[in-house]
Amino acid sequence: MKKYNFNAGPSILPAEVIRQTADAVLDFQGEGLSLLEISHRAKYFQPVVDEAVALMKELLRIPDGYSVIFLGGGASLQFCMVPFNLLEKKAAYLNTGVWAKKALKEAKGFGEAVEVASSADANFTFIPTDYEVPQDADYFHITTNNTIYGTELSDSKLADIYKKKGQVTLVADMSSDILSRPIDVSKYGIIYGGAQKNLAPAGVTFVIIKNDILGKVSRHIPTMLDYRTHIDGGSLFNTPPVLPIYSAMLTLRWLKQNGGVEAAEKRNIEKAATLYDCIDHSKIFVGTAKEEDRSRMNLCFVLKPEYQDLQDDFFKFASEKGMVGVKGHRSVGGFRASLYNAMDIEGVRALVECIKEYERKL
Ligand SMILES: *Cc1c(COP(=O)(O)O)cnc(C)c1O
């Protein structure tokens, strides 16, 4: 039976990326060596990093003056690397979910960390707008897509943030919506994310960084935690996660062949609309996120109160139809379907058909 992978992360990758990664594990570019056993410094691997960086710059139209680096440690390490490198006195955070809150918690160890607004009281079902960004902050941190709660900063909310931030450096965790739509990189000081949602298997983190925001804090930064080390070392200061970087490069090639982020956005709009339309017309399900803040990447829905006892039954039914990873995160409950770039419209239609079939047989 065909399986449809709706996991939130690690998550679906294009089938050809998985196949080509597997090929390279067996024989890297016809060299008679596995990707797993080549030197990261050899002539073999430098071109892979170079191509991945070049494709990130091209696809996201990253302006001059920015670097792209690949690191270990996940997005979670960035929660502390960002304040380590940028926080001298004060930082501001928009609290839109568990990941945002974890980032804020780390910053508190380095200076004053202000929560400008939070939707915690509403279980993060919406993105707050009623706040100001303190203009004496060293940076303002946002999470563009809240993987767990299925909310995302729309283009109009982002435009509002660009206004609100004034001259303050903007830092964004884009773990779960990077490359899903065009983004104006010039508005940001740092964009980072774990690659295992939309780009690569687990094990690599991407960081896009404006070079001239660095070097302004007075504390000592350990070598490995200093962005400048990895910019100067071209992501090869120490042994990088070779396999996930290789897969990331393949995913970027795939994305380029398929029309880049602009075309991906069109597909993502159609995919999300298809599933939301089904949920909005459902007899038994209801979406959890406020409509204007709904994510295109992670779609959360729960059973209406009168149908709560169908939880396990629907999950079993969906599993039997090949739907994988549709259980909601424990802090929201219900169901969540993640529609990352590699999920095609056929997969979404299959899930819609599964929901409709289940409702028909009730
Ligand atoms: C998954 C996720 C993280 C955590 O990523 P790790 O690479 O596991 O540390 C952080 N932020 C967001 C928005 C995420 O979706």
Side-chain angles (χ1 to χ4, degrees):
M1 179 185 49
K2 182 167 166 53
K3 296 257 170 109
Y4 298 95
N5 184 358
F6 295 100
N7 274 312
S11 40
I12 186 170
L13 287 169
E16 62 186 83
V17 168
I18 292 174
R19 218 166 25 240
Q20 289 165 4
T21 302
D23 287 347
V25 167
L26 295 175
D27 184 2
F28 182 72
Q29 298 177 346
E31 295 284 347
L33 288 172
S34 167
L35 170 62
L36 305 180
E37 57 183 0
I38 58 166
S39 163
H40 63 286
R41 299 202 185 281
K43 58 180 181 182
Y44 314 119
F45 201 66
Q46 182 73 54
V48 174
V49 177
D50 291 348
E51 186 176 344
V53 168
L55 283 168
M56 282 287 274
K57 288 188 171 174
E58 181 185 339
L59 291 168
L60 291 170
R61 299 181 205 284
I62 299 175
D64 290 345
Y66 284 76
S67 299
V68 176
I69 50 178
F70 294 104
L71 305 173
S76 299
L77 182 61
Q78 296 310 305
F79 296 166
C80 87
M81 249 175 108
V82 165
F84 224 129
N85 283 265
L86 301 185
L87 206 174
E88 183 71 11
K89 284 205 180 70
K90 186 197 270 193
Y93 281 72
L94 180 60
N95 182 6
T96 51
V98 161
W99 297 118
K101 203 166 134 192
K102 285 187 176 170
L104 170 63
K105 175 172 174 266
E106 289 304 306
K108 287 183 173 157
F110 297 90
E112 187 187 351
V114 184
E115 181 187 84
V116 296
S118 164
S119 49
D121 288 350
N123 201 29
F124 301 115
T125 47
F126 72 99
I127 308 283
T129 50
D130 191 16
Y131 63 88
E132 275 164 32
V133 178
Q135 290 300 301
D136 58 344
D138 297 315
Y139 64 89
F140 175 46
H141 181 282
I142 58 172
T143 310
T144 50
N145 184 68
N146 300 282
T147 325
I148 294 173
Y149 305 91
T151 62
E152 186 172 18
L153 288 165
S154 63
D155 287 344
S156 75
K157 291 229 166 150
L158 281 176
D160 182 48
I161 283 172
Y162 301 158
K163 247 190 254 143
K164 281 191 163 80
K165 79 174 180 69
Q167 294 308 307
V168 176
T169 296
L170 186 59
V171 175
D173 176 354
M174 292 197 189
S175 293
S176 50
D177 66 349
I178 190 75
L179 298 160
S180 71
R181 56 174 171 169
I183 199 94
D184 184 353
V185 175
S186 74
K187 303 289 191 215
Y188 297 81
I190 291 182
I191 295 172
Y192 68 85
Q196 68 274 17
K197 311 261 161 67
N198 221 358
L199 185 59
V204 68
T205 310
F206 62 86
V207 185
I208 301 164
I209 184 160
K210 191 163 188 256
N211 300 322
D212 67 11
I213 64 170
L214 298 173
K216 295 185 178 164
V217 289
S218 50
R219 76 175 59 82
H220 168 74
I221 307 173
T223 308
M224 268 301 282
L225 296 181
D226 191 333
Y227 287 119
R228 290 171 297 186
T229 302
H230 302 283
I231 293 172
D232 294 346
S235 298
L236 297 174
F237 169 74
N238 71 320
T239 318
V242 168
L243 185 140
I245 291 177
Y246 186 73
S247 296
M249 184 274 285
L250 293 173
T251 304
L252 292 162
R253 273 188 194 164
W254 170 85
L255 190 58
K256 184 177 170 181
Q257 279 158 11
N258 286 281
V261 289
E262 289 77 11
E265 179 181 48
K266 283 206 186 89
R267 292 192 293 272
N268 291 330
I269 288 172
E270 188 197 357
K271 282 152 47 188
T274 301
L275 185 53
Y276 280 129
D277 183 63
C278 165
I279 293 163
D280 289 341
H281 290 94
S282 164
K283 187 167 74 178
I284 61 172
F285 291 113
V286 60
T288 57
K290 187 174 171 191
E291 215 161 309
E292 65 184 41
D293 296 323
R294 281 174 161 182
S295 170
R296 293 175 191 154
M297 294 286 100
N298 314 97
L299 287 68
C300 296
F301 50 103
V302 294
L303 286 155
K304 292 178 181 171
E306 61 272 34
Y307 293 105
Q308 278 302 323
D309 52 343
L310 297 178
Q311 181 81 15
D312 294 343
D313 192 53
F314 174 75
F315 185 71
K316 186 163 162 279
F317 181 82
S319 303
E320 284 165 6
K321 296 278 170 195
M323 307 298 145
V324 178
V326 292
K327 208 178 214 111
H329 189 274
R330 63 186 178 282
S331 43
V332 177
F335 302 92
R336 170 177 56 174
S338 297
L339 311 184
Y340 296 118
N341 282 347
M343 171 59 64
D344 59 19
I345 186 78
E346 271 64 50
V348 182
R349 291 199 184 113
L351 178 57
V352 165
E353 192 40 50
C354 167
I355 291 172
K356 288 188 172 161
E357 191 180 334
Y358 184 76
E359 292 188 356
R360 279 197 296 272
K361 74 175 193 65
L362 279 182

